[in-house]
């Protein structure tokens, strides 16, 4: 089954941009993933589905500041013009024939 | 407006049972597969179980296989998770989510403790 690897933490300044990475395990580099945001004390929120070719489909209401891209086994979430409300945990998710997998999550701090 | 509303959480002793429910509205529930996902205190998200729109196939994480049973009632727009032989490590907030996105419920807390 696939494994997703994320850095445990990231930080960036208010108004700047940050690029979060989710890496698929060997043999799974073509997999589609989803990105989810979890603000403190809240339920997760779906952000987008991201394909291996880099195309992505965002959920309703997700700001234009959020975008996705891909390179090989790496899937990226870029947040531009960082706002204070973007401080959250970000999880990637993928699925195989009979299992769903989440990455360990990246805690984003907005300085 | 799409809503997924979980209920049924609470405090239960180790070895006990609990049944979670998830009431869906705002979309054609019977057309979509559903997942249960949990989050232990201070930890990340963990997938628990999947059920297709027609209730077959069904899949479970190894950590709950043989103890938890997922089911659904499309006539009632409801998803269920029967949890038996509960362990301390099952303590978590349990979320229902539409498989493949984009909807999540608000979660219900299950605490397993003596």
């Amino acid at each position: 089954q696939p494994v997703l690897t994320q850095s445990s933490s990231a930080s960036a300044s208010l108004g700047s941009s940050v690029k979060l990475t989710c890496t698929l395990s060997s043999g799974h580099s073509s997999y589609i993933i989803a990105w989810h945001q979890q603000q403190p004390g809240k339920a997760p929120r779906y952000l987008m589905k991201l394909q291996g070719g880099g195309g992505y489909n965002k959920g309703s209401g997700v700001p234009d500041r959020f975008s996705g891209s891909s390179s090989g086994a790496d899937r990226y979430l870029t947040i531009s013009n960082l706002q204070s409300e973007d401080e959250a945990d970000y999880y990637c998710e993928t699925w195989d024939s009979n299992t769903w997998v989440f990455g360990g999550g990246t805690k984003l701090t907005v300085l | 407006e799409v809503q997924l509303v979980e209920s049924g959480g609470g405090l239960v002793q180790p070895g006990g049972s609990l049944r979670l429910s998830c009431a869906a509205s705002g979309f054609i529930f019977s057309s979509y597969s559903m997942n249960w996902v949990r989050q232990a205190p201070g930890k990340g998200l963990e997938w628990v179980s999947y059920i297709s729109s027609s209730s077959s196939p069904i899949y479970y994480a190894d950590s709950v296989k043989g103890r938890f049973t997922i089911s659904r009632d499309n006539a009632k727009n409801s998803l269920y998770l029967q949890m038996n032989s509960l362990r301390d490590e099952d303590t978590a907030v349990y979320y229902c989510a539409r498989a493949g996105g984009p909807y999540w419920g608000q979660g219900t807390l299950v605490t397993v403790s003596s």
Side-chain angles (χ1 to χ4, degrees):
Chain A
Q1 68 183 44
V3 175
L4 298 172
T5 302
Q6 299 181 252
S7 298
S8 59
S9 65
S11 62
S13 299
L14 194 68
S16 70
S17 296
V18 67
K19 191 174 188 179
L20 306 182
T21 305
C22 172
T23 302
L24 287 149
S25 53
S26 177
H28 302 94
S29 61
S30 64
Y31 278 40
I32 297 170
I33 72 152
W35 281 105
H36 305 277
Q37 176 196 59
Q38 188 175 34
Q39 294 172 323
K42 293 190 175 182
R45 173 196 184 190
Y46 172 91
L47 293 176
M48 67 180 69
K49 194 171 287 184
L50 174 59
Q51 299 177 17
Y56 60 94
N57 292 294
K58 292 196 296 187
S60 175
V62 176
D64 292 342
R65 305 184 291 104
F66 290 80
S67 62
S69 59
S70 297
S71 177
D74 291 332
R75 305 287 182 267
Y76 305 106
L77 174 68
T78 299
I79 312 171
S80 58
N81 188 22
L82 271 169
Q83 304 296 304
S84 57
E85 60 264 31
D86 298 332
E87 186 160 289
D89 294 324
Y90 291 84
Y91 294 93
C92 54
E93 174 199 17
T94 195
W95 48 94
D96 208 330
S97 54
N98 61 355
T99 190
W100 271 253
V101 176
F102 287 92
T106 297
K107 184 177 185 63
L108 174 63
T109 300
V110 178
L111 305 173
Chain B
E1 179 194 7
V2 170
Q3 281 197 310
L4 294 171
V5 180
E6 301 94 336
S7 60
L11 175 63
V12 61
Q13 292 188 338
S17 298
L18 214 54
R19 189 194 195 207
L20 306 183
S21 299
C22 171
S25 61
F27 67 100
I28 304 174
F29 178 73
S30 59
S31 295
Y32 292 93
S33 303
M34 299 293 294
N35 276 328
W36 283 101
V37 176
R38 69 184 180 184
Q39 186 171 36
K43 303 296 184 182
L45 301 173
E46 179 190 13
W47 170 73
V48 172
S49 183
Y50 163 94
I51 186 168
S52 74
S53 57
S54 63
S55 298
S56 180
I58 283 173
Y59 306 121
Y60 298 98
D62 288 344
S63 57
V64 307
K65 203 173 293 182
R67 301 187 299 121
F68 289 12
T69 302
I70 191 172
S71 63
R72 64 191 296 162
D73 185 335
N74 286 340
K76 294 183 177 180
N77 290 336
S78 293
L79 175 71
Y80 306 102
L81 187 67
Q82 177 67 43
M83 304 186 295
N84 298 331
S85 303
L86 283 161
R87 306 167 179 167
D88 291 351
E89 55 265 34
D90 295 318
T91 293
V93 176
Y94 285 74
Y95 298 99
C96 64
R98 202 171 87 173
Y103 307 120
W104 289 81
Q106 87 290 345
T108 187
L109 176 62
V110 172
T111 303
V112 184
S113 175
S114 53

